[in-house]
Amino acid sequence: GLVSSTATTLVYSRGARGKPELEGTAATVILLANLVVLLRLSVLAVAVMPSILPTMVPVMLAGLAATLPVAWLTWRKHAEGPALENPELTNPTDLPVALGFGAAYAVILMAAAWLNDLAGVAGVYMVALVSGLTDVDAISLSSFRLFGDGRVTAAGAVMAIVVALCSNAVVKATIVFVAGGRSLGMRCVTGFGAM
C-alpha cells in the first residue's frame, strides 16, 4: 500500500480470481493497502502542511476507525487458510514515475487554482473528483498548497481530499469486481464503503 494501493488492489484481485480459498487473504490485503492511504496522507500533511492537521486528522481517524473492524473481521474469517504469494513490486522512485507524478501534480495544481478562481471551492472539488480517479496524492498536495496560500479553508482542502478518496475508492472497487470477480468484490465493497 505504501508503493501503490491501486497496484496492490489490482495484483491481489487478479491473484484471487477463480480461487475462493484465496479471496479472504486478497480482501484483507486490499483493505489494509487502502487504509495505508489514509495514514500516508496524514504523514504527508505533517511534512507539508501541519497547520491542516486539526481539521484533517479527525476525518482520517474516522475512516480508519470505520474500516479497521471490517479488515479485522475479513482477516479473522480466513486466518487459517492458504495465503497468496507476495507479488514483485517495482521501485516507486524510478525517474519516469517521479517525472509523471511531477507533471500530474503541476497540472492538477494549475487546474485546481484556476477552477478555484472560476468557481470557488466547488471547482477544487470538481478537480478532486476527476483526479481521484487515478491518484489522491497530487490533489492532496494541491489542496495543501491552496490552503497554505489562503485560497481555500482547511475544511475546503480536507473536503477536496475526501472527494478524491471517495472517487478513488469507487475506481478500486471497480478494479476488484472486474479483475477479481463478484465474490471478491462483495468482500471488499463493505470496507471501501466504510472508509
Side-chain angles (χ1 to χ4, degrees):
L2 287 174
V3 174
S4 171
S5 57
T6 304
T8 302
T9 299
L10 179 60
V11 166
Y12 279 89
S13 294
R14 284 181 178 164
R17 185 171 189 87
K19 301 173 186 165
E21 71 278 7
L22 299 179
E23 286 180 359
T25 299
T28 302
V29 169
I30 290 166
L31 292 177
L32 291 176
N34 284 281
L35 278 173
V36 169
V37 173
L38 301 178
L39 297 173
R40 187 177 73 218
L41 292 178
S42 298
V43 169
L44 194 59
V46 168
V48 175
M49 190 58 59
S51 58
I52 203 168
L53 290 173
T55 305
M56 186 171 168
V57 168
V59 174
M60 297 298 131
L61 286 177
L64 285 168
T67 312
L68 272 174
V70 176
W72 184 81
L73 288 171
T74 302
W75 171 74
R76 290 297 303 151
K77 288 180 183 177
H78 79 278
E80 302 302 319
L84 287 170
E85 288 184 28
N86 286 325
E88 184 176 324
L89 299 176
T90 60
N91 182 357
T93 59
D94 285 340
L95 186 58
V97 173
L99 291 175
F101 179 80
Y105 170 66
V107 168
I108 290 169
L109 181 59
M110 289 188 330
W114 177 68
L115 283 172
N116 183 54
D117 290 344
L118 192 66
V121 75
V124 177
Y125 297 160
M126 288 186 291
V127 172
L129 181 68
V130 173
S131 68
L133 295 173
T134 58
D135 178 62
V136 295
D137 294 318
I139 189 62
S140 297
L141 287 169
S142 298
S143 297
F144 296 154
R145 177 79 181 262
L146 291 172
F147 168 67
D149 291 345
R151 297 176 85 172
V152 298
T153 64
V158 171
M159 183 55 73
I161 293 167
V162 169
V163 167
L165 283 167
C166 290
S167 172
N168 197 256
V170 169
V171 168
K172 289 175 185 171
T174 303
I175 288 170
V176 174
F177 275 99
V178 171
R182 185 179 187 282
S183 178
L184 179 61
M186 294 307 292
R187 286 182 185 235
C188 293
V189 77
T190 302
F192 284 126
M195 188 183 320

